[in-house]
């Protein structure tokens, strides 16, 4: 255990369970299997990695819901948080 781990805010298990349940419900409603989510994640990472160095350990890609403007209808939304370490120069691209 690291000294700084004592000061980090930890998610209570109830919060983690709630987040997992929400993800499961959204994926069910959008007919997106966990395998498809993994394939989408891999494809997004592959494309972005051609142009940027990314922190693979901190990537967070989620399927959530967002209300459509002016209505109460919720639609599936893909949210991607991809920390960028560096942008590759033109000659580094493959």
């Amino acid at each position: 255990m690291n000294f700084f781990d004592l000061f980090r805010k930890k998610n209570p298990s109830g919060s983690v369970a709630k987040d997992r349940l929400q993800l499961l419900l959204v994926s069910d409603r959008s007919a997106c299997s966990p395998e498809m989510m993994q394939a989408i994640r891999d494809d997004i990472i592959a494309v972005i990695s051609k142009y940027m160095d990314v922190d693979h350990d901190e990537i967070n890609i989620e399927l959530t819901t967002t209300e459509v403007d002016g209505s109460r209808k919720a639609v599936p939304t893909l949210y991607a948080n991809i920390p960028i370490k560096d942008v590759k120069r033109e000659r580094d691209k493959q």
Side-chain angles (χ1 to χ4, degrees):
M1 175 183 258
N2 188 335
F3 174 74
F4 293 106
D5 289 342
L6 297 172
F7 300 104
R8 289 192 181 147
K9 183 178 178 182
K10 295 182 181 181
N11 287 339
S13 61
S15 176
V16 172
K18 179 182 172 186
D19 290 344
R20 287 181 181 164
L21 180 59
Q22 284 179 325
L23 180 59
L24 179 64
L25 291 172
V26 170
S27 64
D28 281 348
R29 290 179 186 152
S30 65
C32 186
S33 69
E35 293 81 17
M36 183 183 289
M37 278 299 298
Q38 186 62 44
I40 291 169
R41 174 187 165 89
D42 294 343
D43 288 347
I44 290 172
I45 293 169
V47 170
I48 292 176
S49 293
K50 287 173 48 177
Y51 304 97
M52 301 171 187
D53 290 325
V54 297
D55 186 352
H56 292 271
D57 296 331
E58 296 297 322
I59 291 175
N60 182 22
I61 297 177
E62 300 176 7
L63 193 59
T64 63
T65 57
T66 303
E67 283 189 20
V68 178
D69 291 336
S71 73
R72 294 186 179 258
K73 183 178 178 183
V75 295
T77 304
L78 184 70
Y79 168 78
N81 181 9
I82 305 171
I84 299 168
K85 292 180 181 179
D86 193 20
V87 176
K88 294 180 180 180
R89 295 185 304 257
E90 192 66 32
R91 64 186 164 131
D92 293 342
K93 296 179 189 171
Q94 296 178 353

